[in-house]
Amino acid sequence: MFKSGFVTIIGRPNVGKSTLTNLLIGEKLSIVSNKPQTTRNNIQTILTGEDYQMIFVDTPGIHKPKHKLGEYMVDLARDSVKDVDLVLFLTTADVELGRGDMYILEQLKEMGRPVFLVVNKIDESNPKRIAETLKNYSDVYDFKEIIPISAMNGKNVDTLLDLMVKNMPEGPMYYPKEMIADVQERFIVTEIIREKALRFLKEEVPHGIAVEILSMKQNEHGKYKIDANLICEKKSHKGIIIGKDGTMLGKITRYATEDIRKFLNSKADLKIWVKVRKEWRDDNNLLRELGYKK
Ligand SMILES: Nc1nc2c(ncn2[C@@H]2O[C@H](COP(=O)(O)OP(=O)(O)OP(=O)(O)O)[C@@H](O)[C@H]2O)c(=O)[nH]1
Ligand SMILES: [Mg+2]
């Protein structure tokens, strides 16, 4: 019997949803950073085994939105639990069961789908804390399974995968078996650039950043030429992003180019221009242009 289905991964920002998604498919398609609110779109990846196919949906972290971009992100995450076969509710081994988590659990209760509690980052916690966390959560929700994991070192991820397959209904192969994602190359390239900006910039600057690909073409030798805008919210941010003598922008460009080459498996030339668009995170037209609006 062939099994298949959709699995959505939700939770607070920064708990490791994208790290887990990448680990499950064995390829880095979702960007990861140590700053909350890294993921802004629902990202579909596909894992096909001998007798199953699962489509994972990595979602933006659920938080209290402060602008229209945030509202869009939280709506996406919330909508992602509709019509799925299984929900992975990801959290970390904090003894505190916060209001953010409670809010998500309330929503899950209403939709009545099977939910696994996945407690991530056990590598940086101790057994006592982990045990307390598992208890606190199972006191407030009737989870189908409870699995402590580390998406960083892979601990227990095999067990998680087995349990997910076990819970998939009988179903068809939705995508060709060699396909690992339902996203465009262009999208991944913008995300790689944004990831480097998130990594190297500090405080509020990285959160106000968006990336727009102006052109992406391959020449006759197969080399990619990519021009991109890095959009920020303030003139003062522009200065920080460019850095003294262009060092910061140089660094972002260099690291992004390296990952883009690996991802496209081809040579690539990347040029980035920094643009200021005041309050783009609250501007419906700009949000739409940047792919952050339905
Ligand atoms: N120690 C440890 N760190 C982890 C683990 N999983 C993820 N991280 C780190 O946690 C941070 C956040 O990871 P992400 O995968 O971006 O988290 P996310 O839930 O997708 O975050 P948002 O997209 O902002 O909602 C990164 O610095 C990861 O390297 C883990 O199992 N152990
Ligand atoms: Mg993420």
Side-chain angles (χ1 to χ4, degrees), residues 46 56 69-70 72 100 113 122 127-128 139 156-157 160-161 164 201 240-241 261 275 277 281 292:
I46 305 149
F56 304 118
L69 172 65
Y72 169 78
R113 305 269 165 189
I122 56 168
K128 187 164 165 260
D139 280 349
N156 274 353
V157 174
L160 171 64
L161 198 59
M164 284 196 278
L201 297 165
I240 296 169
I241 294 165
R261 282 183 185 151
K275 294 270 152 64
R277 300 264 188 280
R281 285 187 289 180
Y292 297 128

Side-chain angles (χ1 to χ4, degrees), residues 14 16-19 30-33 37-40 58-61:
N14 221 33
K17 298 177 294 300
S18 299
T19 308
S30 270
I31 63 166
V32 166
S33 90
Q37 295 164 37
T38 296
T39 305
R40 290 177 179 168
D58 179 22
T59 65

Side-chain angles (χ1 to χ4, degrees), residues 11-257:
R12 276 181 287 123
N14 221 33
V15 293
K17 298 177 294 300
S18 299
T19 308
L20 176 62
T21 305
N22 292 335
L23 186 75
L24 286 168
I25 58 156
E27 186 103 16
K28 193 178 158 192
L29 291 180
S30 270
I31 63 166
V32 166
S33 90
N34 59 5
K35 305 194 173 63
Q37 295 164 37
T38 296
T39 305
R40 290 177 179 168
N41 305 82
N42 282 349
I43 297 168
Q44 276 201 13
T45 57
I46 305 149
L47 181 68
T48 309
E50 276 283 294
D51 49 5
Y52 69 86
Q53 182 170 70
M54 288 189 284
I55 297 104
F56 304 118
V57 187
D58 179 22
T59 65
I62 295 186
H63 62 283
K64 206 171 188 177
K66 295 201 177 71
H67 36 68
K68 284 189 182 143
L69 172 65
E71 283 167 22
Y72 169 78
M73 287 159 57
V74 174
D75 283 351
L76 278 185
R78 263 209 240 127
D79 287 350
S80 74
V81 298
K82 289 178 191 156
D83 300 322
V84 290
D85 301 286
L86 179 65
V87 177
L88 301 189
F89 171 66
L90 211 69
T91 189
T92 53
D94 294 323
V95 181
E96 287 291 313
L97 200 167
R99 259 201 284 172
D101 280 332
M102 277 312 283
Y103 174 77
I104 302 170
L105 290 174
E106 296 291 324
Q107 314 257 320
L108 290 177
K109 254 177 208 163
E110 282 170 29
M111 59 131 218
R113 305 269 165 189
V115 181
F116 286 7
L117 172 69
V118 180
V119 177
N120 189 30
K121 307 198 187 184
I122 56 168
D123 56 284
E124 56 177 30
S125 201
N126 62 55
K128 187 164 165 260
R129 262 177 82 136
I130 296 165
E132 272 169 338
T133 306
L134 301 184
K135 183 176 181 311
N136 289 346
Y137 279 89
S138 47
D139 280 349
V140 295
Y141 197 94
D142 187 16
F143 294 101
K144 187 91 194 255
E145 299 283 352
I146 295 179
I147 312 115
I149 66 158
S150 167
M152 187 87 109
N153 65 23
K155 180 127 207 230
N156 274 353
V157 174
D158 286 354
T159 312
L160 171 64
L161 198 59
D162 287 347
L163 288 168
M164 284 196 278
V165 175
K166 212 174 125 202
N167 277 273
M168 284 299 108
E170 185 172 1
M173 186 101 113
Y174 290 102
Y175 291 97
K177 65 173 181 294
E178 62 283 353
M179 201 167 155
I180 58 162
D182 192 12
V183 284
Q184 305 279 329
E185 272 184 355
R186 240 177 132 94
F187 172 74
I188 307 266
V189 170
T190 60
E191 289 285 273
I192 291 172
I193 299 169
R194 199 164 63 80
E195 181 183 61
K196 305 312 165 203
L198 275 164
R199 183 185 305 170
F200 298 122
L201 297 165
K202 293 196 186 79
E203 285 148 31
E204 87 274 24
V205 184
H207 291 296
I209 276 178
V211 176
E212 181 182 34
I213 304 284
L214 301 169
S215 83
M216 178 166 154
K217 290 196 193 94
Q218 247 179 322
N219 70 12
E220 64 277 20
H221 310 293
K223 182 175 184 171
Y224 280 88
K225 197 174 167 306
I226 303 162
D227 292 295
N229 273 343
L230 209 160
I231 293 160
C232 64
E233 288 191 317
K234 291 178 186 161
K235 232 176 143 188
S236 60
H237 290 180
K238 180 172 173 173
I240 296 169
I241 294 165
I242 293 172
K244 195 165 177 288
D245 302 324
T247 45
M248 180 54 93
L249 187 60
K251 196 157 132 183
I252 293 170
T253 307
R254 218 165 45 244
Y255 277 81
T257 305

